[in-house]
Amino acid sequence: MNAKKMFALVLTAIVSVCAVFAQGSYVVKSVKGNVKYEAEAGVKKAVKVGQVLSATTFIDVGLNSTLVLEMDGEEITVKAMTKGALDKVAVSSAKGLKKGGSVAGNVKGDSGTGKSVSTASSRASEAKEDVDWDE
């Protein structure tokens, strides 16, 4: 009877572990700066290279820090000042908009050179040239 209980307990533990990792697990490839994860409720620990994190792990990437993860052969870079559950953060990092890129648009009269779209400050600079000043 005791062996049956032990077998049932081990089987339950194996099924539980498989269920957690079926959601997705991330392997830490590199850490730069201050990156922490919530190990227990209210307890944060530093993330280490080679560590396996589950999809529900809450992470906090500090200022001037980055975290590179791998899941299913795909590398995901989590940028600085990012907080949240790893599955949400990793999805937004992998498929989100890239900051700092120029926006190219089809401006009337554009010959297809990929001219950037004007911003308010550049239009104001151009407008000053059109005005005649009496000094």
mmCIF file of all heavy atoms in Angstrom, residues 26 59-61 65-70 74-99:
data_model
loop_
_atom_site.group_PDB
_atom_site.id
_atom_site.type_symbol
_atom_site.label_atom_id
_atom_site.label_comp_id
_atom_site.label_asym_id
_atom_site.label_seq_id
_atom_site.Cartn_x
_atom_site.Cartn_y
_atom_site.Cartn_z
ATOM 1 N N TYR A 26 11.933 29.246 -20.989
ATOM 2 C CA TYR A 26 12.915 30.117 -21.607
ATOM 3 C C TYR A 26 14.272 29.846 -20.977
ATOM 4 O O TYR A 26 14.389 29.768 -19.761
ATOM 5 C CB TYR A 26 12.538 31.584 -21.394
ATOM 6 C CG TYR A 26 11.216 31.955 -22.014
ATOM 7 C CD1 TYR A 26 10.020 31.781 -21.329
ATOM 8 C CD2 TYR A 26 11.168 32.488 -23.294
ATOM 9 C CE1 TYR A 26 8.809 32.132 -21.909
ATOM 10 C CE2 TYR A 26 9.969 32.836 -23.875
ATOM 11 C CZ TYR A 26 8.789 32.658 -23.177
ATOM 12 O OH TYR A 26 7.606 33.003 -23.751
ATOM 13 N N ILE A 59 9.574 39.042 -14.323
ATOM 14 C CA ILE A 59 10.936 39.565 -14.425
ATOM 15 C C ILE A 59 10.929 41.084 -14.340
ATOM 16 O O ILE A 59 9.921 41.735 -14.619
ATOM 17 C CB ILE A 59 11.650 39.117 -15.715
ATOM 18 C CG1 ILE A 59 10.930 39.628 -16.952
ATOM 19 C CG2 ILE A 59 11.835 37.627 -15.745
ATOM 20 C CD1 ILE A 59 11.766 39.550 -18.197
ATOM 21 N N ASP A 60 12.086 41.623 -13.971
ATOM 22 C CA ASP A 60 12.287 43.065 -13.858
ATOM 23 C C ASP A 60 13.659 43.380 -14.442
ATOM 24 O O ASP A 60 14.683 43.056 -13.861
ATOM 25 C CB ASP A 60 12.223 43.472 -12.389
ATOM 26 C CG ASP A 60 12.384 44.962 -12.167
ATOM 27 O OD1 ASP A 60 12.523 45.710 -13.153
ATOM 28 O OD2 ASP A 60 12.369 45.375 -10.995
ATOM 29 N N VAL A 61 13.661 43.996 -15.637
ATOM 30 C CA VAL A 61 14.907 44.363 -16.312
ATOM 31 C C VAL A 61 15.170 45.825 -15.986
ATOM 32 O O VAL A 61 14.369 46.693 -16.285
ATOM 33 C CB VAL A 61 14.804 44.151 -17.836
ATOM 34 C CG1 VAL A 61 16.109 44.514 -18.512
ATOM 35 C CG2 VAL A 61 14.410 42.725 -18.153
ATOM 36 N N SER A 65 19.996 47.744 -18.971
ATOM 37 C CA SER A 65 20.142 46.296 -18.860
ATOM 38 C C SER A 65 19.410 45.615 -20.006
ATOM 39 O O SER A 65 18.470 46.169 -20.564
ATOM 40 C CB SER A 65 19.551 45.809 -17.536
ATOM 41 O OG SER A 65 20.152 46.461 -16.451
ATOM 42 N N THR A 66 19.848 44.411 -20.353
ATOM 43 C CA THR A 66 19.154 43.607 -21.356
ATOM 44 C C THR A 66 19.182 42.148 -20.929
ATOM 45 O O THR A 66 20.063 41.716 -20.193
ATOM 46 C CB THR A 66 19.797 43.710 -22.756
ATOM 47 O OG1 THR A 66 21.166 43.358 -22.662
ATOM 48 C CG2 THR A 66 19.645 45.083 -23.348
ATOM 49 N N LEU A 67 18.217 41.414 -21.430
ATOM 50 C CA LEU A 67 18.099 39.993 -21.155
ATOM 51 C C LEU A 67 17.841 39.290 -22.483
ATOM 52 O O LEU A 67 16.930 39.661 -23.214
ATOM 53 C CB LEU A 67 16.927 39.732 -20.193
ATOM 54 C CG LEU A 67 16.549 38.294 -19.912
ATOM 55 C CD1 LEU A 67 17.674 37.568 -19.186
ATOM 56 C CD2 LEU A 67 15.284 38.250 -19.072
ATOM 57 N N VAL A 68 18.680 38.310 -22.820
ATOM 58 C CA VAL A 68 18.501 37.547 -24.046
ATOM 59 C C VAL A 68 18.084 36.140 -23.656
ATOM 60 O O VAL A 68 18.750 35.473 -22.870
ATOM 61 C CB VAL A 68 19.790 37.507 -24.895
ATOM 62 C CG1 VAL A 68 19.575 36.674 -26.151
ATOM 63 C CG2 VAL A 68 20.224 38.917 -25.255
ATOM 64 N N LEU A 69 16.941 35.713 -24.200
ATOM 65 C CA LEU A 69 16.358 34.407 -23.898
ATOM 66 C C LEU A 69 16.289 33.576 -25.165
ATOM 67 O O LEU A 69 16.293 34.111 -26.272
ATOM 68 C CB LEU A 69 14.934 34.578 -23.347
ATOM 69 C CG LEU A 69 14.787 35.462 -22.124
ATOM 70 C CD1 LEU A 69 13.326 35.818 -21.915
ATOM 71 C CD2 LEU A 69 15.340 34.755 -20.908
ATOM 72 N N GLU A 70 16.160 32.271 -24.986
ATOM 73 C CA GLU A 70 15.939 31.388 -26.118
ATOM 74 C C GLU A 70 14.761 30.483 -25.796
ATOM 75 O O GLU A 70 14.672 29.917 -24.714
ATOM 76 C CB GLU A 70 17.159 30.533 -26.408
ATOM 77 C CG GLU A 70 16.966 29.637 -27.614
ATOM 78 C CD GLU A 70 18.165 28.769 -27.924
ATOM 79 O OE1 GLU A 70 19.229 28.965 -27.323
ATOM 80 O OE2 GLU A 70 18.018 27.887 -28.779
ATOM 81 N N GLU A 74 14.505 30.145 -30.954
ATOM 82 C CA GLU A 74 14.372 31.553 -31.311
ATOM 83 C C GLU A 74 14.910 32.419 -30.176
ATOM 84 O O GLU A 74 14.562 32.209 -29.014
ATOM 85 C CB GLU A 74 12.900 31.898 -31.545
ATOM 86 C CG GLU A 74 12.649 33.329 -31.915
ATOM 87 C CD GLU A 74 11.177 33.639 -32.107
ATOM 88 O OE1 GLU A 74 10.386 32.706 -32.256
ATOM 89 O OE2 GLU A 74 10.836 34.826 -32.089
ATOM 90 N N GLU A 75 15.769 33.379 -30.503
ATOM 91 C CA GLU A 75 16.304 34.285 -29.498
ATOM 92 C C GLU A 75 15.393 35.491 -29.348
ATOM 93 O O GLU A 75 14.927 36.061 -30.336
ATOM 94 C CB GLU A 75 17.712 34.758 -29.870
ATOM 95 C CG GLU A 75 18.769 33.777 -29.497
ATOM 96 C CD GLU A 75 20.167 34.383 -29.505
ATOM 97 O OE1 GLU A 75 20.328 35.584 -29.805
ATOM 98 O OE2 GLU A 75 21.100 33.628 -29.213
ATOM 99 N N ILE A 76 15.170 35.873 -28.099
ATOM 100 C CA ILE A 76 14.316 37.008 -27.785
ATOM 101 C C ILE A 76 15.107 37.944 -26.885
ATOM 102 O O ILE A 76 15.642 37.512 -25.867
ATOM 103 C CB ILE A 76 13.033 36.545 -27.061
ATOM 104 C CG1 ILE A 76 12.266 35.569 -27.951
ATOM 105 C CG2 ILE A 76 12.173 37.725 -26.668
ATOM 106 C CD1 ILE A 76 11.226 34.766 -27.228
ATOM 107 N N THR A 77 15.175 39.216 -27.243
ATOM 108 C CA THR A 77 15.880 40.205 -26.440
ATOM 109 C C THR A 77 14.857 41.069 -25.717
ATOM 110 O O THR A 77 13.991 41.665 -26.349
ATOM 111 C CB THR A 77 16.780 41.100 -27.316
ATOM 112 O OG1 THR A 77 17.701 40.261 -28.008
ATOM 113 C CG2 THR A 77 17.537 42.106 -26.483
ATOM 114 N N VAL A 78 14.973 41.127 -24.398
ATOM 115 C CA VAL A 78 14.096 41.959 -23.579
ATOM 116 C C VAL A 78 14.885 43.209 -23.218
ATOM 117 O O VAL A 78 15.975 43.132 -22.658
ATOM 118 C CB VAL A 78 13.637 41.215 -22.310
ATOM 119 C CG1 VAL A 78 12.686 42.074 -21.500
ATOM 120 C CG2 VAL A 78 12.975 39.891 -22.676
ATOM 121 N N LYS A 79 14.345 44.355 -23.571
ATOM 122 C CA LYS A 79 15.034 45.635 -23.402
ATOM 123 C C LYS A 79 14.963 46.135 -21.962
ATOM 124 O O LYS A 79 14.229 45.613 -21.138
ATOM 125 C CB LYS A 79 14.417 46.687 -24.325
ATOM 126 C CG LYS A 79 14.397 46.310 -25.786
ATOM 127 C CD LYS A 79 15.744 46.493 -26.395
ATOM 128 C CE LYS A 79 15.666 46.153 -27.870
ATOM 129 N NZ LYS A 79 16.879 46.312 -28.562
ATOM 130 N N ALA A 80 15.698 47.206 -21.713
ATOM 131 C CA ALA A 80 15.754 47.830 -20.392
ATOM 132 C C ALA A 80 14.395 48.367 -19.966
ATOM 133 O O ALA A 80 13.537 48.665 -20.797
ATOM 134 C CB ALA A 80 16.769 48.961 -20.403
ATOM 135 N N MET A 81 14.228 48.475 -18.678
ATOM 136 C CA MET A 81 13.029 49.043 -18.046
ATOM 137 C C MET A 81 11.757 48.269 -18.412
ATOM 138 O O MET A 81 10.705 48.848 -18.650
ATOM 139 C CB MET A 81 12.873 50.520 -18.407
ATOM 140 C CG MET A 81 14.067 51.386 -18.010
ATOM 141 S SD MET A 81 14.430 51.341 -16.256
ATOM 142 C CE MET A 81 13.020 52.180 -15.609
ATOM 143 N N THR A 82 11.856 46.947 -18.445
ATOM 144 C CA THR A 82 10.720 46.091 -18.753
ATOM 145 C C THR A 82 10.384 45.267 -17.528
ATOM 146 O O THR A 82 11.264 44.694 -16.901
ATOM 147 C CB THR A 82 11.053 45.152 -19.927
ATOM 148 O OG1 THR A 82 11.439 45.943 -21.045
ATOM 149 C CG2 THR A 82 9.869 44.300 -20.296
ATOM 150 N N LYS A 83 9.103 45.228 -17.183
ATOM 151 C CA LYS A 83 8.633 44.430 -16.053
ATOM 152 C C LYS A 83 7.405 43.658 -16.486
ATOM 153 O O LYS A 83 6.609 44.150 -17.275
ATOM 154 C CB LYS A 83 8.238 45.320 -14.871
ATOM 155 C CG LYS A 83 9.357 46.051 -14.223
ATOM 156 C CD LYS A 83 8.855 46.867 -13.049
ATOM 157 C CE LYS A 83 9.986 47.662 -12.431
ATOM 158 N NZ LYS A 83 9.524 48.425 -11.271
ATOM 159 N N GLY A 84 7.252 42.444 -15.963
ATOM 160 C CA GLY A 84 6.047 41.683 -16.238
ATOM 161 C C GLY A 84 6.305 40.202 -16.331
ATOM 162 O O GLY A 84 7.428 39.725 -16.182
ATOM 163 N N ALA A 85 5.223 39.462 -16.567
ATOM 164 C CA ALA A 85 5.324 38.015 -16.741
ATOM 165 C C ALA A 85 6.088 37.729 -18.023
ATOM 166 O O ALA A 85 5.918 38.403 -19.035
ATOM 167 C CB ALA A 85 3.941 37.389 -16.782
ATOM 168 N N LEU A 86 6.935 36.739 -17.978
ATOM 169 C CA LEU A 86 7.851 36.457 -19.075
ATOM 170 C C LEU A 86 7.130 36.166 -20.385
ATOM 171 O O LEU A 86 7.572 36.599 -21.442
ATOM 172 C CB LEU A 86 8.748 35.289 -18.694
ATOM 173 C CG LEU A 86 10.037 35.123 -19.436
ATOM 174 C CD1 LEU A 86 10.821 36.409 -19.478
ATOM 175 C CD2 LEU A 86 10.870 34.035 -18.809
ATOM 176 N N ASP A 87 6.007 35.456 -20.346
ATOM 177 C CA ASP A 87 5.298 35.154 -21.593
ATOM 178 C C ASP A 87 4.768 36.415 -22.259
ATOM 179 O O ASP A 87 4.808 36.556 -23.469
ATOM 180 C CB ASP A 87 4.187 34.135 -21.371
ATOM 181 C CG ASP A 87 3.171 34.564 -20.327
ATOM 182 O OD1 ASP A 87 3.408 35.571 -19.621
ATOM 183 O OD2 ASP A 87 2.142 33.880 -20.189
ATOM 184 N N LYS A 88 4.322 37.383 -21.495
ATOM 185 C CA LYS A 88 3.818 38.642 -22.059
ATOM 186 C C LYS A 88 4.969 39.525 -22.547
ATOM 187 O O LYS A 88 4.911 40.116 -23.613
ATOM 188 C CB LYS A 88 3.007 39.405 -21.011
ATOM 189 C CG LYS A 88 1.881 38.624 -20.392
ATOM 190 C CD LYS A 88 0.627 38.786 -21.173
ATOM 191 C CE LYS A 88 -0.579 38.251 -20.452
ATOM 192 N NZ LYS A 88 -0.813 36.865 -20.564
ATOM 193 N N VAL A 89 6.018 39.609 -21.760
ATOM 194 C CA VAL A 89 7.171 40.439 -22.095
ATOM 195 C C VAL A 89 7.882 39.904 -23.327
ATOM 196 O O VAL A 89 8.262 40.656 -24.217
ATOM 197 C CB VAL A 89 8.135 40.510 -20.889
ATOM 198 C CG1 VAL A 89 9.445 41.145 -21.268
ATOM 199 C CG2 VAL A 89 7.492 41.270 -19.750
ATOM 200 N N ALA A 90 8.058 38.592 -23.398
ATOM 201 C CA ALA A 90 8.768 37.981 -24.516
ATOM 202 C C ALA A 90 7.996 38.141 -25.821
ATOM 203 O O ALA A 90 8.584 38.377 -26.871
ATOM 204 C CB ALA A 90 9.036 36.506 -24.239
ATOM 205 N N VAL A 91 6.679 38.056 -25.769
ATOM 206 C CA VAL A 91 5.866 38.221 -26.982
ATOM 207 C C VAL A 91 5.958 39.652 -27.472
ATOM 208 O O VAL A 91 6.161 39.896 -28.659
ATOM 209 C CB VAL A 91 4.392 37.823 -26.719
ATOM 210 C CG1 VAL A 91 3.499 38.275 -27.848
ATOM 211 C CG2 VAL A 91 4.278 36.331 -26.519
ATOM 212 N N SER A 92 5.857 40.617 -26.571
ATOM 213 C CA SER A 92 5.931 42.009 -27.008
ATOM 214 C C SER A 92 7.334 42.370 -27.477
ATOM 215 O O SER A 92 7.505 43.188 -28.365
ATOM 216 C CB SER A 92 5.494 42.954 -25.889
ATOM 217 O OG SER A 92 6.407 42.899 -24.807
ATOM 218 N N SER A 93 8.361 41.727 -26.909
ATOM 219 C CA SER A 93 9.729 41.999 -27.352
ATOM 220 C C SER A 93 10.003 41.381 -28.711
ATOM 221 O O SER A 93 10.728 41.941 -29.520
ATOM 222 C CB SER A 93 10.730 41.454 -26.340
ATOM 223 O OG SER A 93 10.612 42.141 -25.133
ATOM 224 N N ALA A 94 9.436 40.221 -28.966
ATOM 225 C CA ALA A 94 9.706 39.531 -30.223
ATOM 226 C C ALA A 94 8.948 40.147 -31.390
ATOM 227 O O ALA A 94 9.452 40.219 -32.496
ATOM 228 C CB ALA A 94 9.340 38.059 -30.091
ATOM 229 N N LYS A 95 7.720 40.606 -31.137
ATOM 230 C CA LYS A 95 6.887 41.066 -32.238
ATOM 231 C C LYS A 95 6.516 42.535 -32.145
ATOM 232 O O LYS A 95 5.691 43.004 -32.894
ATOM 233 C CB LYS A 95 5.605 40.233 -32.276
ATOM 234 C CG LYS A 95 5.889 38.780 -32.536
ATOM 235 C CD LYS A 95 4.639 37.962 -32.557
ATOM 236 C CE LYS A 95 4.984 36.513 -32.785
ATOM 237 N NZ LYS A 95 3.862 35.635 -32.660
ATOM 238 N N GLY A 96 7.110 43.266 -31.205
ATOM 239 C CA GLY A 96 6.748 44.659 -31.002
ATOM 240 C C GLY A 96 7.371 45.578 -32.023
ATOM 241 O O GLY A 96 8.152 45.169 -32.867
ATOM 242 N N LEU A 97 7.032 46.834 -31.916
ATOM 243 C CA LEU A 97 7.601 47.837 -32.801
ATOM 244 C C LEU A 97 9.025 48.120 -32.377
ATOM 245 O O LEU A 97 9.350 48.115 -31.203
ATOM 246 C CB LEU A 97 6.775 49.122 -32.722
ATOM 247 C CG LEU A 97 5.355 49.018 -33.237
ATOM 248 C CD1 LEU A 97 4.623 50.322 -32.951
ATOM 249 C CD2 LEU A 97 5.348 48.740 -34.721
ATOM 250 N N LYS A 98 9.861 48.396 -33.306
ATOM 251 C CA LYS A 98 11.244 48.731 -33.000
ATOM 252 C C LYS A 98 11.363 50.233 -32.874
ATOM 253 O O LYS A 98 10.924 50.971 -33.739
ATOM 254 C CB LYS A 98 12.163 48.201 -34.092
ATOM 255 C CG LYS A 98 12.076 46.713 -34.185
ATOM 256 C CD LYS A 98 13.171 46.162 -35.024
ATOM 257 C CE LYS A 98 12.916 44.684 -35.089
ATOM 258 N NZ LYS A 98 13.972 43.844 -35.126
ATOM 259 N N LYS A 99 11.963 50.663 -31.786
ATOM 260 C CA LYS A 99 12.123 52.085 -31.543
ATOM 261 C C LYS A 99 13.332 52.614 -32.296
ATOM 262 O O LYS A 99 14.287 51.904 -32.530
ATOM 263 C CB LYS A 99 12.314 52.338 -30.052
ATOM 264 C CG LYS A 99 11.112 51.983 -29.229
ATOM 265 C CD LYS A 99 11.360 52.263 -27.783
ATOM 266 C CE LYS A 99 10.174 51.857 -26.951
ATOM 267 N NZ LYS A 99 10.408 52.059 -25.546
#
